[in-house]
Amino acid sequence: MDVLASLPEKVKQYELFLNDVLKNDLRKVLDGRDILYSEMAEHEQLKSTVEKFQDGSISNENVSTKVDLGCNFYVNAKIPDASMIFIAVGFGFYVELTHAEALKFINTKCDHLQNKIDRLTLDAGKIRADIKIVIEGLRELQGISDIPTKVPQRDICF
């Protein structure tokens, strides 16, 4: 009888663990991965621009551009010599690099970001597996059988 009395309490504990811990962990991991994806996209865009400078598609002299001052407030800017560029390397530091050095740095940075993204993807998969295990445990505790899956049907629209 004591086991049956504590069953609703155990179910509640598992549900709290599922909602408070596992789902929050999954959200944090996925948010972190999204941030890395946006950073990766910025580096790929920079790589494309540097390659255009290097190929000669864009002249290194008298380049006109727009600079974001913050809060999406842009101003026109003219670059007299774009043979050297400044790249943010982290912690508020910028390094002046040639185009070849910049491409090497960007490729290394993209590889590093991809490794981080891959690790976060694996972590998200592990957390999803843990969520499924907890849900399956809750089903067993509550005596709920597997919910039959619906066969998807096509809607024909005329």
Side-chain angles (χ1 to χ4, degrees):
M1 282 300 213
D2 190 31
V3 174
L4 292 177
S6 67
L7 189 62
E9 187 176 315
K10 284 286 185 190
V11 169
K12 186 176 181 180
Q13 286 176 346
Y14 279 117
E15 286 176 349
L16 284 174
F17 176 70
L18 176 70
N19 292 324
D20 293 344
V21 177
L22 291 178
K23 288 187 178 180
N24 281 336
D25 288 348
L26 181 61
R27 183 181 42 79
K28 287 177 187 175
V29 167
L30 293 177
D31 288 347
R33 190 179 68 172
D34 290 343
I35 290 169
L36 291 177
Y37 273 130
S38 66
E39 192 175 333
M40 180 87 139
E42 288 176 6
H43 279 83
E44 289 294 333
Q45 184 180 15
L46 177 62
K47 179 180 177 180
S48 173
T49 304
V50 171
E51 285 174 344
K52 286 179 183 176
F53 275 120
Q54 200 173 29
D55 293 344
S57 301
I58 302 175
S59 172
N60 284 337
E61 298 166 356
N62 295 325
V63 177
S64 297
T65 186
K66 291 190 178 197
V67 178
D68 186 6
L69 295 178
C71 297
N72 290 326
F73 185 74
Y74 292 89
V75 294
N76 292 325
K78 290 194 184 226
I79 305 169
D81 181 22
S83 61
M84 300 285 280
I85 59 173
F86 284 93
I87 294 183
V89 293
F91 298 109
F93 291 103
Y94 291 82
V95 178
E96 187 175 17
L97 302 171
T98 63
H99 295 156
E101 293 169 337
L103 285 175
K104 184 178 177 184
F105 172 79
I106 293 167
N107 288 331
T108 304
K109 183 72 172 184
C110 285
D111 290 342
H112 176 69
L113 289 173
Q114 188 60 51
N115 288 337
K116 282 178 140 182
I117 288 169
D118 292 343
R119 273 187 268 139
L120 287 177
T121 301
L122 286 174
D123 290 346
K126 289 177 185 176
I127 294 170
R128 284 187 183 112
D130 291 343
I131 288 172
K132 285 186 179 185
I133 289 171
V134 170
I135 289 173
E136 208 46 50
L138 282 169
R139 281 186 185 157
E140 285 182 19
L141 280 175
Q142 295 174 336
I144 300 173
S145 63
D146 283 340
I147 300 171
T149 58
K150 276 185 154 180
V151 177
Q153 298 178 1
R154 287 189 174 171
D155 290 335
I156 300 174
C157 298
F158 293 98

